[in-house]
Amino acid sequence: MVGVPLARRAKRRAHHAPRKMTSVLEYAQLGWASCLGAHPLSEGGRACSCDRVGCPDPGMHPLSPAWQMQATTDTALLTRWWKQDPDANVILPTGRVFDVFDVPAAAGRPALAAMDAAGFDTGPVAENGDRVLFFVATRGAPEDEDEWWSCSLDAGPETIDSTPGLRWHCRDSYVLAPPSTAPSGEVVSWIRPPDGRPLPDPLRVLDLLADFCE
């Protein structure tokens, strides 16, 4: 009896781990930096692979508080990380190459259908449980802070819970990327995977999303 769940876990690890490593290497080819994320645990009395007792956000955050410095496109380093921790989720920092509009699925799905009907090129779109993620061109991180324009929709890691509607992940924030595993056991997945084409203008996407997120 003990051997069966162990075999299943080994098979599950063998299936998901290569997908995660393959994905981070593909992201690196796009110029998208990645870093190791915590992953949910189903055994051992802990919900998260991080070392925080009673983690409030199991499997949904970077492993290291230095994630912004660690995130990289170095394929050798990424390969080593995911060989050492094959179950690690994939964290993509925003505000570098792309920003992400993070909306409830109840709004994101019909918005995506409306964009398609209008012939609008949505760019990459992912689904994380009850949220849909629209990847757009970034506002960036200008050297001159006077050129930075803030927005009430900005969502950093510490403010996500307080912004249940439309969130704008830009600099100093991140998203959980496919094929990461959510605490529910669902796998974060692409609805429209990235294909190397230029990302859409964030203001145009925001204008199209706003009507569905009111």
Side-chain angles (χ1 to χ4, degrees):
M1 295 295 290
V2 174
V4 173
L6 286 175
R8 287 177 180 170
R9 286 204 302 275
K11 184 177 180 180
R12 189 164 59 245
R13 285 170 61 96
H15 176 66
H16 288 297
R19 284 183 56 200
K20 290 179 179 178
M21 183 183 294
T22 298
S23 293
V24 296
L25 296 179
E26 290 175 349
Y27 297 150
Q29 290 180 347
L30 294 170
W32 294 10
S34 303
C35 66
L36 291 167
H39 62 88
L41 297 177
S42 58
E43 299 174 348
R46 293 170 54 200
C48 185
S49 66
C50 73
D51 55 9
R52 286 187 293 176
V53 176
C55 175
D57 204 15
M60 300 288 286
H61 61 85
L63 266 180
S64 170
W67 61 271
Q68 294 189 67
M69 296 180 60
Q70 290 183 348
T72 183
T73 58
D74 184 326
T75 55
L77 189 55
L78 293 167
T79 299
R80 185 164 79 246
W81 283 350
W82 264 271
K83 279 186 176 180
Q84 293 172 345
D85 193 355
D87 289 327
N89 276 340
V90 180
I91 296 292
L92 296 180
T94 53
R96 300 184 182 186
V97 177
F98 54 83
D99 290 351
V100 171
F101 286 119
D102 173 355
V103 303
R109 283 288 186 175
L112 182 59
M115 293 176 188
D116 289 342
F120 181 79
D121 186 1
T122 62
V125 182
E127 189 168 36
N128 180 1
D130 60 356
R131 309 289 300 187
V132 175
L133 310 177
F134 292 81
F135 287 66
V136 297
T138 184
R139 282 181 287 172
E143 294 182 6
D144 184 353
E145 286 297 310
D146 291 338
E147 294 182 8
W148 169 256
W149 49 284
S150 60
C151 174
S152 60
L153 302 173
D154 289 350
E158 72 284 350
T159 64
I160 287 176
D161 289 342
S162 62
T163 52
L166 175 61
R167 308 164 182 163
W168 193 339
H169 294 275
C170 49
R171 63 178 185 174
D172 301 328
S173 190
Y174 58 80
V175 292
L176 193 65
S180 297
T181 305
S184 64
E186 294 180 280
V187 176
V188 183
S189 59
W190 288 110
I191 300 173
R192 305 274 168 82
D195 56 13
R197 286 183 291 175
L199 298 172
D201 178 358
L203 295 183
R204 289 194 64 198
V205 176
L206 176 61
D207 186 50
L208 291 166
L209 287 175
D211 291 340
F212 291 88
C213 294
E214 291 180 348

